[in-house]
Amino acid sequence: MTLTTSATITSISTLQGSCYGGTKLVITGTNFSPILSDQAIKVGDYYCDISAASETELSCQIRETGLTSGTYNDNQVLVILWASSYASCTLSNLCMFTFVPPVETIDSVTATYNDATKAIEVSVIGTGFTSGSAAN
């Protein structure tokens, strides 16, 4: 029996995302654990909450970063294994992720009066809004 403990990262679904966090990543590789708690993922200084795991794929969403705006390069994606080691990166860009400011696009704005609540409800449809965005 051969015991293999070294893990590798062979692809990452995206290497760029909002400077506010919320970007979902799918990391493909080898020798990951199918148990969520056996590994952690960090993108630079920010954790990426793991939602699914198998021996060959990890899915996660980057937590809120607290960054205000701007572009932040050179954030290495690390898969931290339960054995206190890191998965090695086989990508030519060394698994580097860039946080960028989102580009919001408004496609339409509608307002309707709600008789039940006696309030005007405004709906803004578009792309590039940060996850969980809300205005009162």
Side-chain angles (χ1 to χ4, degrees):
M1 180 172 106
T2 304
L3 179 62
T4 304
T5 58
S6 60
T8 59
I9 299 171
T10 57
S11 72
I12 301 172
S13 59
T14 185
L15 291 171
Q16 183 173 307
S18 170
C19 66
Y20 304 124
T23 301
K24 293 180 182 178
L25 301 180
V26 176
I27 300 169
T28 305
T30 61
N31 299 318
F32 300 136
S33 171
I35 301 168
L36 295 180
S37 61
D38 276 357
Q39 59 257 314
I41 300 172
K42 285 187 81 174
V43 179
D45 292 333
Y46 309 100
Y47 279 97
C48 195
D49 295 323
I50 301 172
S51 58
S54 72
E55 289 87 0
T56 59
E57 191 173 277
L58 300 171
S59 298
C60 68
Q61 184 171 5
I62 301 172
R63 289 184 187 170
E64 186 175 335
T65 64
L67 300 172
T68 54
S69 63
T71 300
Y72 302 88
N73 295 315
D74 301 330
N75 293 279
Q76 189 165 24
V77 177
L78 297 174
V79 175
I80 306 164
L81 306 171
W82 67 271
S84 298
S85 61
Y86 297 100
S88 61
C89 180
T90 62
L91 301 176
S92 61
N93 69 355
L94 302 176
C95 296
M96 300 306 274
F97 185 90
T98 300
F99 289 106
V100 296
V103 178
E104 295 90 4
T105 303
I106 296 174
D107 296 323
S108 67
V109 177
T110 57
T112 56
Y113 182 74
N114 184 325
D115 285 327
T117 62
K118 306 291 187 221
I120 297 174
E121 297 173 354
V122 178
S123 176
V124 180
I125 306 296
T127 58
F129 302 119
T130 58
S131 178
S133 296
N136 294 322

